[in-house]
Amino acid sequence: MKDKFRVGLIRVLTSDDQDFVNIHGNIIMEHFPGIEVISKCIPDQWEGIHDDETEAIAIPKIVKTAHEFEDIDMIIVSCADDPGVEELRKEFPNIPVTGGGETTVAVASKYGKKFGVLGIIDDAPHSYHKHAADKLHTIKRPEGVYNAVDLLTPGGIDGCVASAKQMAEEGADVIALACTGLTNIGVASGIEKEVGIPVVDPVIAEGLFAYFESIKRKL
Amino acid sequence: MKDKFRVGLIRVLTSDDQDFVNIHGNIIMEHFPGIEVISKCIPDQWEGIHDDETEAIAIPKIVKTAHEFEDIDMIIVSCADDPGVEELRKEFPNIPVTGGGETTVAVASKYGKKFGVLGIIDDAPHSYHKHAADKLHTIKRPEGVYNAVDLLTPGGIDGCVASAKQMAEEGADVIALACTGLTNIGVASGIEKEVGIPVVDPVIAEGLFAYFESIKRKL
């Protein structure tokens, strides 16, 4: 038996910098022992996925990238919209496949029934509509943010906290982050402290279900 | 800062045997590092909770038992019906409180939309109706089983596997165990292997969310 539960993680934001590509995987490995994450990004998608067109273009690249992993126990598409997750389930029927969307929604459903969705578009990701249509309460995009790269600009974090606060005031009982770019800037704990309602980070949610799968192997 | 994230876990099945009381806590500590579980059971409830009356009697005992823990970071009522969880949230507003029901339902919602509920009564627990009414697909009780103690009789496991198989054949896409007594007999992995659809064990689900809370402390 192998020592580690090996997860192939796909980033949908292209980067030449492997350290940047590894950010999500490193967060998962930091918090979930026994898991080894191998990270790859899809090519030629320098602003990630932020609308239907960029999603459609990404899906065949995601499937191709998944085939480049070797000897993995699970695949994570590390994006809140779960792009390609259904396609990958068909391609890899014998291992678990998940994404940031369905995992975030599942974890958030433990904490509330009125999701405040904080992301980079004016709507919730498709995955949130698909899995929690009845729980989408308020949806906000921080001012001036239109893609994952914009989150890295000055004011990105403050804008996120302000939007989350507003959603809580409007009645949201849990904040579901709707872009893994929010993980990169680490806003979850800041929002939770400032706003006082639970916040679910997609990369932590992915890690939680990877960990659950790794436990099931041992039961 | 303390080394461990300390969870007070309440069993709703009375026992004089502390090793038996510790079973759920030991499973959580085995799979989730950094968590210390202190287990107590409520008094005078030798057949646990298995109907409205036994639940009503248990709730004040659960609240009283919770007050006997010292220096804890979280409370788990280790029962699939979440008895007393709402009451405990009011009593202990500054720490997370959860139960086997809401956590199982949340985890199961990642895996399917048609829950096969396997438990010890002919209906799903209140908590499953409360949190996943739209996802309860099929509900079964193994033949001859009416309470948590009956599960320990010969044939208990086979009956569970047979019931789960039947639910899968009827269209369930995930099995949500609906009694922590099923954890005690360890049926989850057996069902998953035999029936081939994901199975969510309430004690593992409780542990998963305890682990999530312990991670949030570190973010």
Side-chain angles (χ1 to χ4, degrees), chain A residues 195-215:
Chain A
V195 183
I197 61 174
V199 178
V200 183
D201 180 294
V203 174
I204 299 290
E206 292 165 3
L208 202 64
F209 279 96
Y211 195 64
F212 179 65
E213 292 291 346
S214 77
I215 289 172

Side-chain angles (χ1 to χ4, degrees), chain A residues 7 61 74 97 109 114 151 164 167:
Chain A
V7 175
K61 298 184 201 175
M74 179 173 183
V97 175
S109 74
K114 296 174 183 175
L151 287 167
M167 290 194 282

Side-chain angles (χ1 to χ4, degrees), chain A residues 112-175:
Chain A
K113 296 202 188 311
K114 296 174 183 175
F115 293 4
V117 179
L118 181 67
I120 57 170
I121 55 171
D122 288 315
D123 194 0
H126 300 121
S127 58
Y128 290 40
H129 284 285
K130 181 173 171 190
H131 298 293
D134 56 327
K135 299 194 183 78
L136 304 181
H137 180 266
T138 326
I139 296 161
K140 288 219 187 299
R141 174 180 57 73
E143 235 172 289
V145 170
Y146 298 94
N147 60 47
V149 178
D150 291 337
L151 287 167
L152 303 170
T153 58
I157 293 187
D158 291 348
C160 291
V161 172
S163 295
K165 202 170 231 167
Q166 216 179 325
M167 290 194 282
E169 282 163 8
E170 290 171 18
D173 54 11
V174 58
I175 302 290

